[in-house]
Amino acid sequence: MTRQKRILSGITPSGNSLHIGNYFGAIKPQIELQNTDYETYYFIADLHALTTVKDSQTLRTNIMGIVLDYLALGLDPEKCVFFRQSEVMAHSQLAVVLGNYTSYGQMQRMHAFKDKLAKDASVESINMGLFNYPILMAADILLYKPYGVPVGEDQRQHIELTRDIAENFNKFYNQAIFPLPEPLISQKVGKIVGTDGQRKMSKSLGNTIGIFDDEAVIRKQIMSSYTDPNRLKATDPGKVEGNPVFMYHDLINDNPDEVTDLKLRYLGGRVGDVEVKEKLFQAHQRLFEPLRQRREILASDLGKVTEILTTGAAKASLMADKTVSEVYKIIGIA
Ligand code: ATP
Ligand code: MG
């Protein structure tokens, strides 16, 4: 089995806009991979969003919102295959097959399921879409036989399950159908902490700093971010290490001298939180404002955006349908 020079990743439109954790942890690396000699496949995992989004108009808005974010951030449909999962039937087809090579025990160990159970649900009320989510995700990946999947740390377990399912299937039929995909997860930015300073920045936790939200929203998110809880006034020496606001500065601020100066003054008790946060807000503006304008231009011609997705789905289907035909033959359906 030759390893393919192919990369694949997706994003679920569970909300209508992305945050800086998504950007630095997943999207930026994905965009950089477009400029290598890997073929890149990126998709909007709209069927996955059904686990949490049941209102049809909300889902439509979410899908288009994430598509526009992705394109504005630099996804180039000339360089990658960009599509919606629901427009490529093979995702659902392969998921139905793969469920037969996955055990209930494996599924019960999945974090997303366990977290949901721990948080607010009883087993009886968990929908099967959520429970089966990792199988659909395995299908999403294996259809394209990619070398690697660039994602954040929270997706590691799902990639591991995908590898297990692939291995199981390959062994069962004694054929090397599916290459085992590598998780491409950055040590440094694979798990960006949220503004609560405790948990991973997540759409669903409301501890985010947005990218294209209104200026007032972004300012509020930055201003209310957790810093050093032991520092009561600006003249107290503060902690820089592990302080989320400085982590964000390191990611966002294009002026390293300013960041160094702020850090030194913070350590010495010579700067207030407000100035540190105000400078972070300004750096956010410098980085994302030009992209916001690009997003507005894209949003003014949604017909063109839909066309990009249709073309992408046709290209993706060529590859994905081939894999489904191959699988159908092997299992004895075709
Ligand atoms: P949800 O709360 O609905 O799970 P999310 O904020 O975790 O949303 P996802 O849509 O699950 O975002 O993730 C999209 C991509 O961004 C995935 O590759 C995921 O691993 C990555 N990602 C999400 N949050 C972070 C984070 N805080 N740091 C680094 N990468 C992240
Ligand atoms: Mg997530």
Side-chain angles (χ1 to χ4, degrees):
M1 174 173 33
T2 50
R3 275 191 175 256
Q4 308 293 331
K5 293 222 80 177
R6 194 173 301 122
I7 295 290
L8 167 121
S9 197
I11 194 154
T12 306
S14 47
N16 67 359
S17 64
L18 297 173
H19 54 74
I20 61 168
N22 298 139
Y23 178 63
F24 289 102
I27 294 173
K28 190 163 178 249
Q30 290 166 13
I31 287 169
E32 284 163 3
L33 281 160
Q34 288 181 145
N35 299 316
T36 62
D37 57 352
Y38 283 102
E39 273 178 43
T40 44
Y41 282 68
Y42 298 130
F43 67 97
I44 303 295
D46 47 6
L47 290 171
H48 281 295
L50 283 172
T51 60
T52 53
V53 186
K54 296 292 200 300
D55 178 71
S56 56
Q57 199 43 48
T58 306
L59 186 53
R60 262 181 221 112
T61 309
N62 285 0
I63 292 168
M64 201 38 96
I66 302 286
V67 167
L68 291 171
D69 282 6
Y70 231 149
L71 290 171
L73 289 169
L75 206 82
D76 182 349
E78 299 288 321
K79 290 185 183 159
C80 71
V81 180
F82 183 43
F83 61 100
R84 277 172 66 164
Q85 177 192 37
S86 59
E87 285 194 77
V88 180
M89 302 312 143
H91 289 249
S92 307
Q93 291 173 307
L94 187 62
V96 169
V97 174
L98 294 183
N100 300 288
Y101 304 84
T102 315
S103 73
Y104 181 67
Q106 280 174 305
M107 299 299 289
Q108 269 185 318
R109 288 192 285 277
M110 294 292 106
H111 295 314
F113 165 69
K114 288 203 306 194
D115 289 354
K116 180 87 183 162
L117 207 56
K119 230 178 17 201
D120 52 21
S122 66
V123 182
E124 284 77 15
S125 70
I126 283 189
N127 74 58
M128 289 307 291
L130 179 83
F131 190 68
N132 285 331
Y133 182 112
I135 300 179
L136 179 55
M137 179 160 161
D140 295 338
I141 297 171
L142 296 177
L143 277 175
Y144 301 91
K145 304 186 177 183
Y147 157 71
V149 186
V151 281
E153 184 61 46
D154 58 330
Q155 295 300 325
R156 186 184 293 282
Q157 196 193 33
H158 290 150
I159 314 265
E160 276 163 9
L161 178 75
T162 302
R163 291 170 63 95
D164 290 345
I165 296 175
E167 218 172 1
N168 207 6
F169 191 92
N170 289 347
K171 268 205 200 119
F172 204 90
Y173 293 100
N174 197 23
Q175 292 190 46
I177 325 275
F178 297 122
L180 308 189
E182 298 293 333
L184 305 178
I185 300 171
S186 158
Q187 279 252 326
K188 219 173 111 212
V189 289
K191 190 177 177 181
I192 291 164
V193 71
T195 53
D196 56 3
Q198 310 286 328
R199 297 166 299 174
K200 176 190 93 72
M201 187 177 286
S202 295
K203 279 185 242 122
S204 55
L205 295 175
N207 59 355
T208 61
I209 295 178
I211 298 174
F212 296 122
D213 298 281
D214 290 342
E215 244 182 74
V217 172
I218 307 263
R219 179 186 282 278
K220 193 161 170 233
Q221 289 169 332
I222 289 177
M223 290 299 165
S224 58
S225 177
Y226 184 92
T227 52
D228 175 354
N230 297 319
R231 192 168 183 255
L232 302 176
K233 41 189 197 313
T235 49
D236 291 343
K239 239 179 88 184
V240 163
E241 212 180 296
N243 186 328
V245 174
F246 283 103
M247 290 187 205
Y248 305 150
H249 262 293
D250 285 335
L251 290 171
I252 293 177
N253 199 330
D254 59 351
N255 183 349
D257 292 342
E258 180 177 272
V259 178
T260 307
D261 170 64
L262 287 172
K263 284 181 181 172
L264 287 174
R265 286 199 286 136
Y266 201 83
L267 288 166
R270 284 177 285 110
V271 65
D273 278 6
V274 172
E275 183 183 338
V276 177
K277 289 176 173 176
E278 182 56 39
K279 295 237 159 78
L280 180 63
F281 174 71
Q282 286 163 10
H284 186 289
Q285 293 284 100
R286 287 198 298 280
L287 180 61
F288 293 118
E289 195 50 37
L291 307 182
R292 186 194 292 271
Q293 285 161 21
R294 197 193 306 175
R295 192 182 188 283
E296 273 160 25
I297 295 170
L298 286 159
S300 68
D301 191 356
L302 292 184
K304 194 168 155 215
V305 174
T306 308
E307 217 178 280
I308 289 172
L309 293 168
T310 310
T311 308
K315 281 192 207 159
S317 293
L318 286 179
M319 172 90 231
D321 289 348
K322 213 172 120 207
T323 305
V324 167
S325 299
E326 197 184 352
V327 166
Y328 277 3
K329 225 176 255 154
I330 288 162
I331 60 179
I333 281 182

